[in-house]
Amino acid sequence: MSELTVPAQAGAPAAESGLMVQAEQVHKSFGHLEVLKGIDLEVRSGEVCCLLGPSGSGKSTFLRCINHLEKINAGSIRVDGELIGYREHGGKLHELRQKEVAAQRRSIGMVFQRFNLFPHMTALENVIEAPVRVKREAKVAARERAESLLARVGLGDKMGNYPGQLSGGQQQRVAIARALAMQPKLMLFDEPTSALDPELVGEVLDVMKDLARDGMTMIVVTHEIGFAREVGDRLVFMDGGVVVEQGNPREVIANPVHDRTKAFLAKVL
């Protein structure tokens, strides 16, 4: 198993600090390409954090590191006070077994650009699958929650439809319901509207706004400036594998401080 050095200032448990996510000096390389160059980021419980930046800036890679879909090369990431992907021993971080990592992922929901639904299963079956298979929930209880979640995302009349019978926006809403079915403490969204036709974007963003109102902790990689401005508690602008600027979304969008942020926003606003 791989080892990492523990960062000098280890994070306090979330219960003490109010932090849901704490990333310290996170580095990630693919071969000789260094994608993340020492990311420090804290997200408080109940906060909506929007990651903004050009393609190749490291946003999606960082998101995937949070639930250990990508292994970091240095630094540490904690979710709700728990080290993700590693255990600490003797001043080193030792990588967890795959089964242990899978157990950690159960409390971290993730929604991808592509919906990744099982095409041979109905919307309802897609949402039920993980709680029954992974958490060994009773099928009756899992079905009740799935029906409630699909109704919540506006698909109460589409439960028996297969993905091929649904629009892109409807499929993405099923994907959100599927992630919520595991009752996560943290939701990660990797450009959830980028694969959608423009007229379908709003229906997915409306579901995400509803989650934010309910206090779900969310980290959202997005190019939807309006969503970041309206819903986000914090906007983090990344470029070249580093955090260039962060702050209140309304303030950063209206009055960016860094020249790189100004140049980017000038092109997308």
Side-chain angles (χ1 to χ4, degrees):
M1 293 187 294
S2 60
E3 296 182 356
L4 301 178
T5 302
V6 182
Q9 294 182 337
E16 297 176 14
S17 64
L19 297 177
M20 179 59 72
V21 177
Q22 187 172 25
E24 297 182 332
Q25 284 301 295
V26 173
H27 290 256
K28 172 64 183 177
S29 297
F30 295 100
H32 296 295
L33 177 63
E34 190 177 16
V35 179
L36 301 178
K37 304 174 182 178
I39 300 293
D40 290 312
L41 183 67
E42 294 182 346
V43 180
R44 304 188 74 79
S45 182
E47 187 174 23
V48 178
C49 177
C50 295
L51 302 184
L52 199 66
S55 297
S57 60
K59 308 181 304 296
S60 293
T61 297
F62 176 62
L63 205 70
R64 292 171 65 85
C65 288
I66 293 174
N67 64 359
H68 206 61
L69 285 175
E70 296 289 353
K71 300 177 183 179
I72 62 177
N73 299 114
S76 69
I77 298 174
R78 288 173 169 81
V79 173
D80 203 18
E82 180 180 12
L83 276 170
I84 296 297
Y86 298 88
R87 60 180 173 83
E88 186 177 344
H89 180 72
K92 299 283 186 180
L93 299 182
H94 303 262
E95 189 174 1
L96 297 177
R97 299 181 183 88
Q98 189 58 40
K99 186 176 181 180
E100 295 171 307
V101 173
Q104 290 184 327
R105 288 196 188 120
R106 293 176 192 173
S107 63
I108 305 172
M110 187 158 186
V111 177
F112 300 88
Q113 297 179 36
R114 295 290 175 178
F115 326 120
N116 298 335
L117 299 177
F118 296 114
H120 63 290
M121 293 183 178
T122 65
L124 185 64
E125 290 168 341
N126 264 280
V127 179
I128 290 173
E129 181 72 4
V132 171
R133 295 269 186 167
V134 178
K135 297 179 75 174
R136 305 298 182 188
E137 282 191 17
K139 201 162 188 177
V140 172
R143 183 186 181 92
E144 287 179 357
R145 187 183 310 115
E147 290 175 346
S148 175
L149 287 168
L150 285 168
R152 178 179 180 181
V153 299
L155 296 173
D157 61 338
K158 303 290 185 182
M159 296 186 190
N161 289 48
Y162 291 90
Q165 299 171 314
L166 301 172
S167 70
Q170 290 169 335
Q171 289 185 63
Q172 191 63 295
R173 284 185 279 157
V174 173
I176 293 172
R178 180 180 59 180
L180 293 173
M182 292 293 283
Q183 299 177 292
K185 62 181 72 171
L186 169 68
M187 284 287 287
L188 309 175
F189 292 88
D190 188 6
E191 298 193 42
T193 61
S194 65
L196 300 179
D197 292 333
E199 66 268 22
L200 302 178
V201 168
E203 62 191 47
V204 173
L205 293 180
D206 284 343
V207 171
M208 296 170 64
K209 291 174 186 176
D210 184 56
L211 290 178
R213 283 191 292 267
D214 282 354
M216 173 64 74
T217 309
M218 300 158 59
I219 303 179
V220 185
V221 173
T222 185
H223 292 294
E224 299 291 339
I225 304 296
F227 175 84
R229 183 193 289 116
E230 179 185 349
V231 182
D233 296 298
R234 185 137 48 94
L235 186 149
V236 176
F237 178 71
M238 291 179 60
D239 190 31
V242 300
V243 173
V244 175
E245 185 171 347
Q246 62 177 303
N248 179 285
R250 275 71 68 193
E251 294 174 4
V252 173
I253 292 168
N255 298 295
V257 174
H258 198 282
D259 287 343
R260 184 66 189 91
T261 316
K262 292 177 183 177
F264 177 81
L265 290 173
K267 291 180 180 179
V268 299
L269 288 176

